Amino acid sequence: MARITESKGRDHLAVVCEQVGGQSEVARILTAAGARITQSAVSQWVRGESRPEPVMRTALARTLSIAEDD
């Protein structure tokens, strides 16, 4: 079983997913902004099973206003 990671960024991402219509919509928004990401990766981040790489944290900060250090 995957270890669940708690963080402010994860919580913020979960809220953003609800606001914009789901994880696939977040993946679409990030893709439109030039990031190469899948809905599956966003889902793993929301569940705390993985964390975005630094370059993706930058994309999340720029696109969705989720602080890179969260």
Side-chain angles (χ1 to χ4, degrees), residues 27-44:
R28 189 197 66 72
I29 291 167
L30 290 169
T31 299
R36 295 185 64 185
I37 194 64
T38 64
Q39 182 275 330
S40 177
V42 175
S43 178
Q44 290 174 3

Side-chain angles (χ1 to χ4, degrees), residues 9-43:
R10 176 181 169 255
D11 294 341
H12 189 172
L13 180 59
V15 169
V16 169
C17 285
E18 282 185 30
Q19 291 174 340
V20 300
Q23 298 163 359
S24 59
E25 186 63 15
V26 167
R28 189 197 66 72
I29 291 167
L30 290 169
T31 299
R36 295 185 64 185
I37 194 64
T38 64
Q39 182 275 330
S40 177
V42 175
S43 178

